[in-house]
Amino acid sequence: MRYEAPQDVEAAVRILAAEQGAYVLAGGTDLLVKLRSEMVEPEVVVDIKRIAGMKAITAEDGGWRIGAAVSGAEMGEHAGLVADWPGVVEAAGLIGSTQVQGRATLTGNLCNASPAADSVPAMVAAGAVARVVGPQGTRDVDVIDIPKGPGKTTLAAGEFIASVFLPARGARSGDAYLRFIPRTEMDIAVVGCGISLSLDAEGRVTAARVALGAVGPKVILVEAAAAAIKRRVLDEATLSDLAEACSAAATPIEDKRGTVDFRRHVAGVLARRAAVIAEARAKGEKA
Amino acid sequence: MSRIHVTTKINGDETEFLCDAEATLLDVLRDELGLTGTKEGCGTGDCGACSVTVDGRLVCSCLMLGAEAEGREIATIEGMAAGEVLHPLQQKFIEMAALQCGICTPGILVAAKSLLERNPDPSEEEVRYWLAGNLCRCTGYDKIIRAVMETAADMRRAS
Amino acid sequence: MALDDTKKVKDFKVVGTRPNRPDGIDKVTGRARFGADMVAPGMLTGRILRSPHAHARILRIDTSKAEALPGVKAVVTRADFGDVPDHVADVIDNCMAGDKALYDGHAVAAIAATSAAVARKALKLIEVEYEVLPHVTDVDAAMRPGAPVLHEGAQQETVPEGYSGNVISRVEFGHGDIEAGLAKADRVVERTYRTGATHQGYIEPHACLATMSADGQGDLWVCTQGHYMVRNVCAAILGLEQGQLRVTASEIGGGFGGKTVVFLEPVALMLAKKSGRPVKMVMSRSEVLRATGPTASTSIDVRIGMKKDGRITAAFAELRYQGGAYPGSPVDMGSMSAFAPYDLENVKTVGWDVVTNRPKAAAYRAPGAPMAAFAVESAIDELAKGFGLDPLAVRLMNGAKEGTRASYGPTYPAIGLMATLEAAHTHPHWTAPLGENQGRGVACGFWFNFGGDTCVSLNVTPDGTVTVSEGNPDIGGSRASMTMMAAEELGIPYDQVRTIIADTGSLGQNEVTDGSRVTFAVGLATIEAARAAKREMCRRAAMIWGIDEEAVEWEDGAARPAGPNAGKFPPMTIKEIAAVASNTGGPIAGHHEVTAEGAGVSFGTHMVDVEVDPDTGATKILRYTVFQDAGRAVHPAYVEGQFQGGAVQGIGWALNEEYIYGEDGILQNAGFLDYRIPVASDLPMIDTVILEIPNPGHPYGVRGVGETPIVPPLAAVANAVSAAAGVRMTQLPMSPPRVLAAIQAAKG
């Protein structure tokens, strides 16, 4: 294995395109685990942290562009980002320990393509867009279209994600992400749910995106859940409909972390709880 | 396969080493530099025994390549005491029996120091969540949490 | 050695205080050397190839390609060990598979190479041809006739006809007439309980560094709970004389029973022998989980009858423990301990030792007892609550006391169960209010405690300070305790004594650090060694003063004339006597070698509050209090630490920890990510109440305290969760999916 730390995107793309067994290294919190277990045996590892902009959080079009090497801890320390997209920041902040937070990135969590990735449902709910760079130039791709299935992405050879863009946060809007884990920390999500919504002056939902993690081979954007709460206030009846729509949309498997029935049920429970938090944030309440 | 030459600063000292591309920072610290105070409990970032700081940021040294250390400043448990003078956390851990076997202790001390540098007055809940990535199997955490809280209080009084 | 009645609590000057531990600075600065921290010149890296199958016949192993790889210095398979004595036959088979691989992760070959990278590459070049066999990992499935059998012909005569060959042995304990007792009951609870296999979860993986010379002399540096055991077992396996193999114990990063057996050590020695170079071996975490010694998983039937006033009329339990791929699950101790806290007229337990395609179980803190206590204490809780009785009052009514004939045979001397129950009953925790979805549970636990072979050598240096050499690795502060007992006995300050863990060349045989024996047995030997040194120092003073030895006594660190008739001499301190030792007969020492008896059983009662989320089945521990008899708490902070650590391991066992095997017999969760031990944010503070009912078998009254704390929590947490969730939980771990399913099933 070789280690390369290119100084610019072009050089990185060149190396990645030239070699079959080339892997991108940003935070490394997934890659190093795979290296150790010999799940992957790269020819070359391309460390992108020395490329300008990779460690930056930049205001853009009222939203935020987050460089591919920005760690969860750095996101949590960025007041503007936290104010606009607390759900996404919290989701990223749930990945691993304090130590892992010092390195793990949003982009890495996305490209690792685990169905249980915490930040992905939050990003999908937020309508985040990934900026992909590669031999053919730059393209913007909706985050939901990046994962293809467990461990697989739609990125072509030589491509990598340079940044993720979170759009402008509208007025009376809020997001939230909740996951279920058996302990209080250090676990992989058994179920995850991200919700982003906007309210009108009366508190009715005008726009919503609801995404589920760990209940299918990739993140699920639950249109029916969004439809169930649109033009309604989040009262008990609405929340029940939301929960039901999420449970119905979940297509989980049974594995060491949870049963099918458990995951389906908890998808609804989390959606209901996350919606309440997102609503409070949209109303400007502390949550 | 040629080894990679890395120049870095460890516990304030300019340090050069050679490492394979695959070598983690933990491998380098322990096997190349003889800094065995940093422990390996899992090698997958799940136990925190290998905690160090890199440019002031708490990380698991098992989840970082040695090659990435180029130009960085690394702090390990070996740099925590100033000569004969223990860091207040080290002293408190001994006094309050916050260690039993001691294998997790270096990682917990490095992590706790990092917390107190950011938050001199953490709540019990904040200490518990900050240290959630540092597994201890002997103590049930009780005396560790108390020692961190008491050290923080002492350090606040002293400053 | 009997309790020294003249030594009242108020007389202790050092025992009962909380001094800093002698290894403290080394451990907070990173200087302490654990198993993997040692190096030797010319050292090689050893690695093990492991079976990817749960059960397979090994048809052929071809190591030629690996041997040809540059940098490979030795390859070892089972063939290198040849025939070994019977008593270590299973041991070597577990360290290196023979005809069959018996579990996922079973070692089949090993390599020593000049680097880890070469060793890794070499492992892939070893060709193993397997014939995959049907496997079984569940205890009940393994007992059924027709189950795949691991060892033909291993079944003992205690097993009646009709059982699978995996059922190795049957044990039975008790007295009275169960059926007659049950007939007198107002209600009988009959239930089956199940517990998952858990791992000790020590944070330090196994590691050792071996050298082996052509003349049969070997040296081994190893993290272990018993380096004398390592010496004896490795010597037997390798055909060495015990005296030729010197084993040094490193600092040990946790063991909890899991480091009382060998895994790497004989292999490392063989690699060192074949290569002629030092070989270091360190396990990965996944190797630790796949191929060391987790505990047994169990299936237990309980039948208990109770009168409506709470009196237990009869108690029966049938316990089935799978102990992995070789005989020797802790079902015997489970069967003996199940009803040990109770004074019962009619009691019987039957235990079955079963083998499965899992790694061989090693000891885990009170081996066998927590699962039995889970079953029994759950049933008693259910009965008490069914009659609307206070579960602590029911235990006070039926609890064992001095003179009770224990269910496993002996009659108890002074014991502390009642004291723990009374302390629990009057503690504010017992009457604190509970909120919605919250529940409180209590449970009792028992452990035997052990003594065993022990040697201590105490030397007085020329400047009058003292060194104590003992042979048991310090796993949680025992050097501090030994130092304290030596200082107490000699009447000198704590900082005038230094205790070290000696290698196997320096002392006689020492039992491993197990059975909560160290503070008791090594403490006892330390006190006796100090007494021997005191006698010698009195003799020297008598010689100097020209009076009879009997006319000199030792008090407050000095020899003094025993009374006015002995003569008027100013006291001679230990320093003064030591300074002239060369003129009075030579260096001064005391030593004591003993097979320690009278360990003194230990009881505890735990109380826990939990909250269960009815929508997810998740359990949060809100409050926890441990009440336990310590006999005499030598260093109370480390006694509390044992209580707290044991309770939390029990909480993990109760809620989330378990070995998960797939249909293919492969371990699904061989890492700390999915083998979920409690993290700091899962827990509240763990409150402790130390009771001191002196052990009549120790001069200071010390009882072992290390193991009992893991016995009650499984049941205490289960009783609390059952109360909070409104449904009786009978299977561990009570993981959220399991609790939610139970809640939903109860709702209908």
Side-chain angles (χ1 to χ4, degrees), chain B residues 30 39 100 137 141 143, chain C residues 21 37 200 640 657 678:
Chain B
R30 291 183 54 84
K39 305 300 179 190
Q100 281 179 33
R137 192 60 158 171
Y141 303 103
K143 292 182 192 301
Chain C
R21 60 194 286 167
D37 297 340
Q200 299 83 357
E640 292 162 4
E657 292 179 35

Side-chain angles (χ1 to χ4, degrees), chain C residues 434-449:
Chain C
L434 288 168
E436 203 186 343
N437 299 320
Q438 296 180 356
R440 176 168 299 143
V442 291
C444 297
F446 156 90
W447 188 242
F448 308 89
N449 293 333

